[in-house]
Amino acid sequence: MSEIFLDIETTGLSFRDGHKIVEIACIETNELIPTNKVFHKVINPERNVPDEAYKIHGFSSEFLKDKPKFLAIADELIDFIKDYDLIIHNAPFDLPFINHELKLIKKNSIKNKIIDSLELARGKYLGMSNSLDALCRRFNIDLSKRTKHNALLDCDLLREVYINLLDAREPKLIFNPSLEKKVLKQSKIDYSKKVIKITNSELESHKSFLKSEFKKNYF
């Protein structure tokens, strides 16, 4: 089964306050193994970036002013995610932003199946911090590259976190059920052996050998 990990960075906490998306990233995986298909765009939000947001992700108004607007990347995004399951950390934050941007350009909202890894983490670690950073530390996932929030890097970190949340430390290497059966069939060892009966004289010789060994070791 294929799925997509998705993450965004924004100019603020709520689209209702006029905040916009500045970065969006999607990583496609198959059985949680990356397929090397990636969607990643840095976006001109058509507004200033507050200092608080800049400190988090490092995208300045000056840097973003010549980047494509959401309208220019929307169709590519929609085509990339298609009907995949989307795995998002704190989906109630990301999805409203994306759907608002889509609404502004008169496109339909996302209807994909959503898996919220934050809700999954809260179910397993009640009362504990379940931010992406906290989960990475809990699962000993390397955070050395995360000096700033970055949607593409966070998608990759989320994939590792999600694997640990499912208690699937290493995803299966065989993904095709028919291929798996074929491999197992080819590697099956036939343990049936021809039964060889020993003669009475051989049995007596064996008994004599055991007696002599017993006397040698214990008397």
Side-chain angles (χ1 to χ4, degrees):
M1 182 186 74
S2 294
E3 53 280 313
I4 284 176
F5 290 85
L6 182 150
D7 189 59
I8 66 171
E9 296 298 334
T10 68
T11 62
L13 296 178
S14 175
F15 70 88
R16 293 185 179 86
D17 296 328
H19 289 294
K20 306 288 290 294
I21 296 173
V22 298
E23 183 189 22
I24 184 165
C26 304
I27 293 178
E28 182 194 76
T29 64
N30 189 315
E31 298 288 347
L32 304 180
I33 298 294
T35 64
N36 294 323
K37 289 183 65 176
V38 172
F39 175 89
H40 179 228
K41 301 293 180 182
V42 178
I43 300 166
N44 177 359
E46 302 181 78
R47 56 151 293 159
N48 72 302
V49 179
D51 289 341
E52 295 80 6
Y54 172 73
K55 290 175 184 177
I56 292 172
H57 50 60
F59 294 121
S60 67
S61 299
E62 181 67 21
F63 175 78
L64 295 171
K65 69 179 182 181
D66 63 348
K67 299 299 183 286
K69 299 173 184 178
F70 188 85
L71 175 63
I73 63 94
D75 286 338
E76 189 180 349
L77 170 65
I78 292 167
D79 183 62
F80 188 88
I81 64 176
K82 296 177 183 174
D83 298 319
Y84 289 101
D85 291 353
L86 301 181
I87 302 170
I88 305 172
H89 200 68
N90 193 14
F93 176 84
D94 296 54
L95 276 180
F97 265 102
I98 298 171
N99 285 333
H100 179 67
E101 297 273 12
L102 290 170
K103 182 180 179 181
L104 290 177
I105 58 174
K106 297 178 169 51
K107 291 188 179 293
N108 294 329
S109 298
I110 291 174
K111 303 297 182 185
N112 302 56
K113 176 183 176 182
I114 306 298
I115 299 170
D116 188 348
S117 54
L118 178 58
E119 285 302 308
L120 181 60
R122 285 171 174 167
K124 293 191 70 171
Y125 305 108
L126 188 65
M128 300 175 67
S129 173
N130 289 298
S131 67
L132 191 60
D133 276 355
L135 289 167
C136 285
R137 287 191 289 270
R138 190 170 301 149
F139 298 135
N140 295 315
I141 296 168
D142 184 13
L143 278 170
S144 59
K145 294 180 180 179
R146 199 177 192 243
T147 55
K148 296 282 187 181
H149 284 226
N150 175 281
L152 187 58
L153 174 60
D154 287 358
C155 280
D156 193 49
L157 291 173
L158 177 56
R159 184 187 69 87
E160 294 188 62
V161 164
Y162 187 69
I163 289 170
N164 280 272
L165 287 173
L166 295 183
D167 295 321
R169 302 291 179 175
E170 293 294 335
K172 293 185 297 183
L173 296 180
I174 298 176
F175 311 119
N176 187 324
S178 61
L179 176 61
E180 187 172 5
K181 290 179 182 178
K182 183 178 179 181
V183 171
L184 290 173
K185 183 178 180 181
Q186 290 176 343
S187 62
K188 186 177 180 181
I189 300 173
D190 183 5
Y191 286 100
S192 63
K193 303 292 182 181
K194 182 179 179 180
V195 178
I196 300 175
K197 293 184 178 180
I198 62 174
T199 64
N200 288 333
S201 60
E202 289 172 331
L203 180 60
E204 290 302 320
S205 296
H206 180 63
K207 288 180 179 179
S208 297
F209 171 77
L210 292 178
K211 287 181 180 178
S212 63
E213 288 298 305
F214 181 78
K215 289 180 180 179
K216 184 191 302 181
N217 291 304
Y218 294 100
F219 291 96

